[in-house]
Amino acid sequence: MGPPAVAAARLAAARTALARVVPTGPAPGWDGPAARAAAGAAAALGARHRALLADLDAVLAALVAAAATPGTAATDAALAAVLDAAGHPPPAPPGTVPLGGGRGPDPEGVARWWAGLDPDARAVLERERPALVGGLDGLPAAVRDRANRLVLAGAQEQARQEERVVLDRLAHARGAVALAAVGWQLHEVRTRLARLTAVAGAIDRPGRALLDLEVDPRRTDGEGVRAAVAQGDVDTAAHVGVYTPGFTTGVDELPARLGELESLAAAAGPGTATVAWYGYDAPQVGEVLDPDRSVLGRAAAEHGGQRLASFLDGLDAARGEDAHVTAIGHSYGSVVTAAALAPGGAEGVDDAVYLGSPGVGEAPGRPPGHAWVVEAPGDPVADTGWFGPDPNRMPGVTGLSAREVVLPDGRVLTGSQGHAGYLEPGSTSAANVAAVVGGRPGDAVLDRGVGVGDRLRRLVGG
C-alpha cells in the first residue's frame, strides 16, 4: 500500500469520527438574547462542520485517484489543487439578504454571479449552503428546487427531534402551569411540522418545483413557514402565472391550491407554468389589532410586496428569454401584488389580475390595458374599497366576468359567488384568468362585476 492509499485510509477514519460529532443548538423553549446568540453560534459551527466534511470528501477522492495512478503529473496537480482549496469557501453572492426579509440581493447580479462560478463551486454551495442557494432570487429553478428540498428535509427532521424532546418534557411535567406551557410548545412544533408536511405533499408530484422555502421556528403557532411551489418549468415556459393568496392563508393549503393552478395552466394552453407564491406571512385573525400585521393595514402588504417583487424579478433574471408573466392576487394578496408592481418594484410583469380585491390604491399596478379585475356577485370583501377605489370602477382596469356563461359551443361555465372560488376549475372566472395568463385576453368574457354592494356604496358616498 503506497503513501496515498495509507493517507486515504487514515483520513477516512478521521472523517468517520468527525461525522459523529453533530453540533446542536439551544434546547427548545429557551428564548431571549442569549438563546438567539447561542443559536447563531450553533448554526455557524454546524456550517463549519459541514464544510470540513466536504473538504475531507474532496481530499479523500483525490487521494484515492492518486493511489490508483501514482506518480503522474495530473494526479499530483489534482491533489495539490484540492489541498489548496480546502478551508477556502466558494465566493459569496453579491450583497446579503436582510434579516427578516424584504428585497435581498439584486436578482440580475445574483444570476451573473452564479453564471461566473465553476461547476465545483456551485456544487459545494448547493450541498453546504442549501438555505442560501434555495433563497436566492435569480438562480435557475432546478437549482433552487434541489437546494430547497434539502432545506425541507432538514427542517422536518429538526421539527421531529423537537417533538420528541417536548413529548419527553410533557411526560415529566408536573402541575397545571407546567403542563399548559409544555402543551403549548407541543402544539407549536406539531403545527410547524404539519405545515412542512403540507409543503412536502405539494411537491411530491411530477413537474413540481420548490422555488423558495423559509422556516422560522421562532414564529408562534407554526407560522413563519413560507414557500413558493411551481407547476411546470418556469425557466422555459412561454407563459408564467404567479398567484399570491390573502388573509388567513398559509402553506397548509398548498396542495389544494396547486390543483387549481394545474387546471388553470391546462386551460391557459401549452407552454404555461404556474406558481403558488406563499412567500410572505399573510395576516391572521389573531393579528387584527397588531398595526404591523393587521389585515386592516398596509404594513404586511408592503413587506410582502418587496419579497414578491424580488421573486418576480428573479424569474426574469434566471431565464435566457423573457416570458409572458401574469401576477395574480386574491383578496389581501391583491394588495401585496399591487405593492410589488408599484414604481420601483418588479419590472418583468406583463399583466396583473386582481381577484376579490378590497382595493389596490389610487392607481392600478400595471399600465392601462394590462390590469384586470374579477369581482363575483356577493363578495363582501371586494365591496369594501378599504385600500382605495374598487378596481372595478378604476379607469385602465378591465373587468373579467365571474357570472355563468354559455359558450358558443354549448358548454356552460359556472358562475362564482362570494369571496372564494375564483379559480374553481370550470368557472367563468378561472377561464378568464387562464385566458390572460395564456396571452389570449381576446378570449376572455368581460364584465366589471358591478353588483348590489357597489351600488350601496355609491349611495352612501363610498
Side-chain angles (χ1 to χ4, degrees):
M1 182 181 292
V6 172
R10 291 176 177 174
L11 195 59
R15 199 263 186 218
T16 300
L18 181 62
R20 295 195 188 102
V21 182
V22 180
T24 59
W30 182 26
D31 199 5
R36 288 190 288 272
L45 185 60
R48 182 59 182 149
H49 180 257
R50 291 190 296 272
L52 284 172
L53 291 176
D55 286 342
L56 288 174
D57 288 339
V59 174
L60 276 170
L63 284 171
V64 170
T69 55
T72 67
T75 55
D76 286 348
L79 181 57
V82 169
L83 289 171
D84 183 62
H88 299 281
T96 57
V97 181
L99 184 63
R103 298 207 69 163
D106 170 48
E108 289 284 353
V110 168
R112 290 192 297 270
W113 163 76
W114 187 258
L117 294 179
D118 62 63
D120 289 339
R122 294 179 189 172
V124 169
L125 280 169
E126 279 193 50
R127 183 176 65 247
E128 303 303 328
R129 302 191 67 187
L132 171 69
V133 172
L136 282 174
D137 297 322
L139 296 191
V143 172
R144 298 188 70 174
D145 179 51
R146 287 194 299 268
N148 283 318
R149 287 175 187 263
L150 291 176
V151 175
L152 175 60
Q156 287 181 292
E157 181 55 32
Q158 179 182 343
R160 293 188 190 102
Q161 290 179 3
E162 290 182 29
E163 182 184 35
R164 288 192 289 270
V165 170
V166 176
L167 283 171
D168 181 67
R169 287 180 182 171
L170 188 63
H172 296 85
R174 296 294 181 268
V177 174
L179 284 170
V182 179
W184 178 250
Q185 292 174 7
L186 184 61
H187 167 74
E188 286 186 341
V189 71
R190 282 184 168 172
T191 302
R192 178 166 21 112
L193 185 55
R195 294 192 174 193
L196 292 170
T197 300
V199 175
I203 62 174
D204 191 24
R205 292 191 60 178
R208 301 271 174 90
L210 186 54
L211 300 187
D212 198 14
L213 178 68
E214 297 175 81
V215 183
D216 184 357
R218 296 171 298 177
R219 290 299 304 273
T220 61
D221 203 20
E223 296 169 22
V225 179
R226 298 176 285 271
V229 181
Q231 170 69 45
D233 189 349
V234 297
D235 286 343
T236 61
H239 305 280
V240 180
V242 180
Y243 173 88
T244 300
F247 182 44
T248 75
T249 56
V251 296
D252 48 298
E253 67 176 39
L254 269 171
R257 183 67 64 206
L258 283 159
E260 290 183 335
L261 292 177
E262 187 173 7
S263 296
L264 185 139
T272 300
T274 52
V275 179
W277 188 80
Y278 285 63
Y280 82 114
D281 293 321
Q284 303 296 312
V285 172
E287 298 173 323
V288 171
L289 298 181
D290 182 346
D292 294 326
R293 298 284 310 137
S294 177
V295 70
L296 303 178
R298 291 182 177 274
E302 293 295 333
H303 184 260
Q306 291 181 3
R307 300 173 66 90
L308 177 58
S310 180
F311 179 82
L312 291 168
D313 282 343
L315 293 180
D316 187 52
R319 296 174 55 102
E321 298 181 359
D322 287 343
H324 169 251
V325 178
T326 303
I328 308 161
H330 174 242
S331 190
Y332 194 80
S334 70
V335 188
V336 177
T337 300
L341 304 183
E347 298 178 352
V349 176
D350 302 281
D351 287 278
V353 181
Y354 304 118
L355 309 175
S357 176
V360 294
E362 295 301 320
R366 303 309 305 164
H370 293 275
W372 312 82
V373 61
V374 189
E375 181 174 327
D379 185 341
V381 174
D383 287 331
T384 62
W386 188 264
F387 294 103
D390 191 326
N392 72 359
R393 299 163 55 189
M394 299 176 71
V397 182
T398 304
L400 301 173
S401 179
R403 306 179 190 277
E404 182 179 298
V405 170
V406 180
L407 299 176
D409 62 5
R411 288 184 297 126
V412 178
L413 298 176
T414 60
S416 302
Q417 185 73 29
H419 194 53
Y422 281 98
L423 296 183
E424 185 75 27
S427 67
T428 302
S429 172
N432 283 330
V433 176
V436 173
V437 170
R440 301 179 287 101
D443 292 346
V445 179
L446 306 185
D447 181 355
R448 282 195 171 272
V450 176
V452 174
D454 298 280
R455 295 185 177 94
L456 287 173
R457 192 176 62 248
R458 293 179 189 178
L459 285 175
V460 298

